[in-house]
């Protein structure tokens, strides 16, 4: 087995090196391996970058580098007067990619849209349980209940009927889980007895197709010549999987990669001084937080959660971990998202008050808690290990002993989703810019059941507010409800909001057309590399 793997690695490296000479290639030093290549099934940005962005399209999308919603596979749409029926007119002549297992016989049509949503919605669908089907984002939005019917009007027209008006509905369709897969490919793989291939050997309508994947090493994408917006300027896109930020930067300096994400904040001055590198930046629509598992004692006690929040010296963490690249968070909503409550005061750093609350909660003699720290850098947390160690030291001052725990990234996410943690450093970058995209996926009762609610927090008054806000179209009324929701989270403290960060991305100067994405994606369709 070892010989085989070594041979594969050498062959892959040779292919990449030889093709670089002949083809226009960009190497992106990515931070980790994707969980698989179907963005319906996974929520991490690592998986999104390797699947939803290069391989797939959605009915609607965001203009690269902006929060502007634009048509994609749907050219236009209409909404009924009662706000419950959405009719999408699909783009004609859109080709699907092919691979060694499948060659399409038709263009993209309404069947593909219906397959992509019904797989997630219908528990009896033949693909629903394929690849251990868990559709966290679809379920956290309660799309199963919201969408009462998806009808094929004709090959190029699809009608969604909703149970009630839903203000963020179209924006939600730009989210990664709404990527459109090939129904024809799915049918062929089902007949062949290999349905999992749809998720691991993906076929989409996007600008790049997957050519080869070597776990924990590289992903090779090649330009899809028949892409409906025109072939990408790049012939090849290589993800060189490099978990360590210092190693990523060293590769960037040597021109072994041309773009890298998540630099160490301490390295930013050196990046600014390098004449071959442009350090790009943009305010990120993200929040890093410490989630308390509210279903596990002693964190099911609100006084304990409040005490632990009061015991964290947030300004010291911002200084030490973010080096001026982050701002302290007091709400789940970043300041750039409408309805963020700028007026409300944050919990102060107050160890004495924390001790008093712990005593009231029956923990005068302290307690022991597992504190989980993610193993990779994220836009909202450049160094989770350091952050965890600082929280550990803060909690020790109030008699709380924290044991820092970590796992490989995919395993970490899986275990947090399963609720194995007590307290875990997590975070979120919005996929749509709508406030609901923070509240719904992260803190509702539905999302606590195996979704992205890492606090496992289910609080009916909060749920009622979020459901009510979704059904209102008037933004000022929605904003008032979201401010109430923020106050409720402040009082109940399911998670300590730590920071909102600026996204920094160092890019080699021979790269043109690259844009920092406010949603944290890494988009290469519009990018070129000058010789």
């Amino acid at each position: 087995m070892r010989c085989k793997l070594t041979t594969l690695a050498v062959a892959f490296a040779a292919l990449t090196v030889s093709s670089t000479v002949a083809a226009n290639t960009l190497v992106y030093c990515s931070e980790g391996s994707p969980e698989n290549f179907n963005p319906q099934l996974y929520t991490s940005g690592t998986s999104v970058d390797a699947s939803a962005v290069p391989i797939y399209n959605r009915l609607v999308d965001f203009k690269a580098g902006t929060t502007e919603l634009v048509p994609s596979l749907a050219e236009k749409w209409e909404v009924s007067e009662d706000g419950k029926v959405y009719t999408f007119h699909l783009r004609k002549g859109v080709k699907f990619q092919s691979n060694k297992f499948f060659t399409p016989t038709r263009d993209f049509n309404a069947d593909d849209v219906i397959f992509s949503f019904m797989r997630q919605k219908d528990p009896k669908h033949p693909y629903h349980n394929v690849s251990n089907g868990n559709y966290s984002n679809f379920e956290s939005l309660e799309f199963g209940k919201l969408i009462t019917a998806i009808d094929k009007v004709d090959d190029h027209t699809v009608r969604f009927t909703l149970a009630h008006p839903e203000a963020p509905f179209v924006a939600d369709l730009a989210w990664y889980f709404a990527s459109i897969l090939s129904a024809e490919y799915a049918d062929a793989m089902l007949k062949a007895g290999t349905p999992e291939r749809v998720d691991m050997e993906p076929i989409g309508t996007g600008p790049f197709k997957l050519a080869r994947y070597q776990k924990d090493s590289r992903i090779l994408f090649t330009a899809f010549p028949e892409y409906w917006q025109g072939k990408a300027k790049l012939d090849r896109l290589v993800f060189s999987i490099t978990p360590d930020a210092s190693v990523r930067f060293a590769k960037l300096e040597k021109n072994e990669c041309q773009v890298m994400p998540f630099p160490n904040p301490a390295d930013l001055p050196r990046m600014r001084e390098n004449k071959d590198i442009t350090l790009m930046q943009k305010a990120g629509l993200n929040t890093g937080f410490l989630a308390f598992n509210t279903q596990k004692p002693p964190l099911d006690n609100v006084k304990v959660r409040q005490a632990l929040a009061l015991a964290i010296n947030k300004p010291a963490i911002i200084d030490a971990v973010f080096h001026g690249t982050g701002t302290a968070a007091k709400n789940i909503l970043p300041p750039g998202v409408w309805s963020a409550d700028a007026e409300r005061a944050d919990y102060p750093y107050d160890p004495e008050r924390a001790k008093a609350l712990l005593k009231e909660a029956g923990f005068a003699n302290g307690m022991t808690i597992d504190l989980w720290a993610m193993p990779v850098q994220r836009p909202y947390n450049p160094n989770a290990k350091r952050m965890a160690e600082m929280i550990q030291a803060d909690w020790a001052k109030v008699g709380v002993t924290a044991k820092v725990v970590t796992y490989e990234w995919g395993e970490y996410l899986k275990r947090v989703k399963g609720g194995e943690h007590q307290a875990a450093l997590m975070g979120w970058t919005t996929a749509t810019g709508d406030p609901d995209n923070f509240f719904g996926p992260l803190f509702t009762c539905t999302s606590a059941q195996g979704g992205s609610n890492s606090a496992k927090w289910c609080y009916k008054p909060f749920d009622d507010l979020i459901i009510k806000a979704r059904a209102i179209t008037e933004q000022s009324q929605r904003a008032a409800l979201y401010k109430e929701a923020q106050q409720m989270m402040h009082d109940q403290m399911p998670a300590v909001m730590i920071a909102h960060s600026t996204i920094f991305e160092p890019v080699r100067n021979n790269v043109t057309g690259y844009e920092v994405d406010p949603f944290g994606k890494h988009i290469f369709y519009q990018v070129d590399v000058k010789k």
Side-chain angles (χ1 to χ4, degrees):
M1 177 58 78
R2 186 165 188 162
C3 280
K4 265 192 174 174
L5 284 174
T6 306
T7 306
L8 176 63
V10 170
F12 194 178
L15 172 68
T16 306
V17 170
S18 63
S19 63
T20 303
V21 177
N24 191 14
T25 302
L26 181 139
V27 181
Y28 167 65
C29 275
S30 65
E31 77 285 3
S33 293
E35 292 145 296
N36 81 358
F37 292 91
N38 183 347
Q40 300 172 333
L41 295 163
Y42 292 101
T43 62
S44 77
T46 311
S47 294
V48 165
D49 273 342
S51 61
V53 180
I55 297 167
Y56 296 109
N57 296 121
R58 288 141 293 283
L59 293 175
V60 295
D61 218 322
F62 293 98
K63 186 177 174 185
T66 78
T67 58
E68 180 190 342
L69 201 63
V70 292
S72 184
L73 292 179
E75 289 184 302
K76 59 182 180 176
W77 55 92
E78 295 109 29
V79 187
S80 62
E81 281 190 26
D82 64 2
K84 294 200 288 188
V85 180
Y86 287 73
T87 304
F88 291 90
H89 301 276
L90 308 181
R91 199 173 294 278
K92 294 176 182 174
V94 174
K95 307 295 181 190
F96 272 104
Q97 302 155 8
S98 60
N99 62 22
K100 63 186 176 184
F101 307 108
F102 174 77
T103 301
T105 65
R106 62 164 176 80
D107 293 348
F108 154 76
N109 69 24
D111 294 333
D112 304 305
V113 177
I114 291 169
F115 165 76
S116 300
F117 285 92
M118 290 308 290
R119 171 180 179 171
Q120 300 179 77
K121 175 179 165 59
D122 181 6
K124 294 176 183 171
H125 192 281
Y127 265 85
H128 187 75
N129 295 315
V130 170
S131 304
N132 301 313
N134 184 315
Y135 307 97
S136 296
N137 291 329
F138 187 91
E139 287 159 9
S140 70
L141 293 173
E142 299 188 51
F143 262 27
K145 292 179 192 168
L146 174 68
I147 300 169
T148 59
I150 309 173
D151 296 306
K152 177 180 178 178
V153 178
D154 58 43
D155 273 354
H156 295 97
T157 314
V158 178
R159 186 172 57 230
F160 286 75
T161 304
L162 310 185
H164 53 77
E166 181 91 347
F169 182 64
V170 174
D172 285 338
L173 295 183
W175 199 0
Y176 327 124
F177 76 89
S179 294
I180 305 301
L181 282 63
S182 165
E184 190 187 17
Y185 179 39
D187 287 345
M189 292 304 100
L190 198 62
K191 283 174 189 159
T194 55
E196 294 82 5
R197 280 217 169 110
V198 168
D199 305 323
M200 284 309 296
E201 304 274 356
I203 281 179
T205 58
F208 296 96
K209 57 183 187 175
L210 178 67
R212 194 167 302 178
Y213 172 45
Q214 188 181 341
K215 186 172 165 57
D216 299 330
S217 177
R218 294 183 185 217
I219 312 172
L220 173 63
F221 300 96
T222 56
F224 177 38
E226 296 177 281
Y227 183 49
W228 59 271
Q229 291 193 74
K231 180 185 169 293
K233 297 179 177 75
L234 299 171
D235 298 310
R236 294 170 183 268
L237 172 63
V238 178
F239 281 30
S240 179
I241 298 165
T242 315
D244 186 285
S246 301
V247 179
R248 289 199 295 274
F249 183 34
K251 286 184 175 181
L252 189 79
E253 287 185 302
K254 293 182 211 163
N255 198 26
E256 290 175 15
C257 61
Q258 290 75 51
V259 180
M260 68 165 275
F262 316 129
N264 280 327
D267 288 337
L268 295 178
R270 247 177 75 208
M271 291 173 179
R272 289 190 179 98
E273 290 165 9
N274 189 319
K275 61 180 175 46
D276 296 319
I277 290 170
T278 299
L279 184 62
M280 303 178 76
Q281 69 179 81
K282 189 168 281 182
L285 299 177
N286 60 54
T287 307
F289 54 83
L290 175 66
F292 296 128
N293 188 337
T294 58
Q295 294 181 8
K296 278 191 176 177
L299 299 170
D300 56 345
N301 185 321
V302 68
K303 286 186 178 179
V304 170
R305 301 196 298 266
Q306 291 171 339
L308 293 174
L310 287 161
I312 295 173
N313 188 343
K314 211 181 287 185
I317 288 173
I318 301 296
D319 288 345
V321 175
F322 289 86
H323 295 273
T325 67
T327 56
K330 59 185 178 181
N331 301 308
I332 183 62
L333 298 182
V337 172
W338 60 268
S339 80
D341 190 352
E343 307 302 315
R344 199 179 44 68
D346 195 9
Y347 277 58
Y349 173 53
D350 190 341
E352 293 310 311
R353 176 74 182 127
K355 286 179 190 173
L357 273 176
L358 286 172
K359 187 176 179 181
E360 286 176 36
F363 294 95
N365 298 321
M367 64 175 77
T368 301
I369 288 178
D370 283 348
L371 171 57
W372 290 27
M374 61 194 78
V376 294
Q377 289 164 294
R378 307 308 305 146
Y380 45 75
N381 193 333
N383 191 338
K385 184 173 182 286
R386 176 82 174 109
M387 188 182 289
E389 288 166 351
M390 293 184 75
I391 294 171
Q392 181 184 45
D394 286 342
W395 284 354
K397 292 170 189 167
V398 299
V400 174
T401 302
K403 179 188 170 191
V404 177
V405 175
T406 194
Y407 296 94
E408 179 272 327
W409 185 219
E411 188 69 15
Y412 186 93
L413 292 169
K414 179 181 163 188
R415 287 173 180 263
V416 168
K417 185 178 278 191
E420 293 182 30
H421 62 296
Q422 282 186 293
L425 287 168
M426 293 294 286
W428 190 255
T429 300
T430 178
T432 69
D434 191 282
D436 183 73
N437 192 246
F438 285 89
F439 295 115
L442 296 179
F443 292 103
T444 56
C445 293
T446 300
S447 61
Q449 309 304 315
S452 299
N453 184 342
S454 46
K456 303 300 174 186
W457 185 55
C458 176
Y459 188 60
K460 190 172 185 302
F462 178 86
D463 258 38
D464 291 344
L465 276 177
I466 301 309
I467 291 164
K468 186 177 176 184
R470 280 182 191 152
I472 297 170
T473 53
E474 174 53 52
Q475 192 174 104
S476 62
Q477 292 176 37
R478 292 182 75 204
L481 292 172
Y482 289 140
K483 285 185 178 175
E484 278 187 60
Q486 288 163 79
Q487 184 62 47
M488 213 172 270
M489 288 183 67
H490 174 84
D491 296 342
Q492 292 291 318
M493 193 47 63
V496 183
M497 301 304 144
I498 306 281
H500 311 294
S501 75
T502 302
I503 303 171
F504 287 92
E505 288 180 8
V507 177
R508 297 281 305 185
N509 287 343
N510 61 333
V511 173
T512 61
Y514 187 75
E515 296 271 358
V516 177
D517 183 70
F519 302 114
K521 303 191 299 291
H522 297 91
I523 305 170
F524 296 101
Y525 169 63
Q526 75 284 5
V527 173
D528 200 358
V529 179
K530 292 183 289 190
K531 301 295 183 197

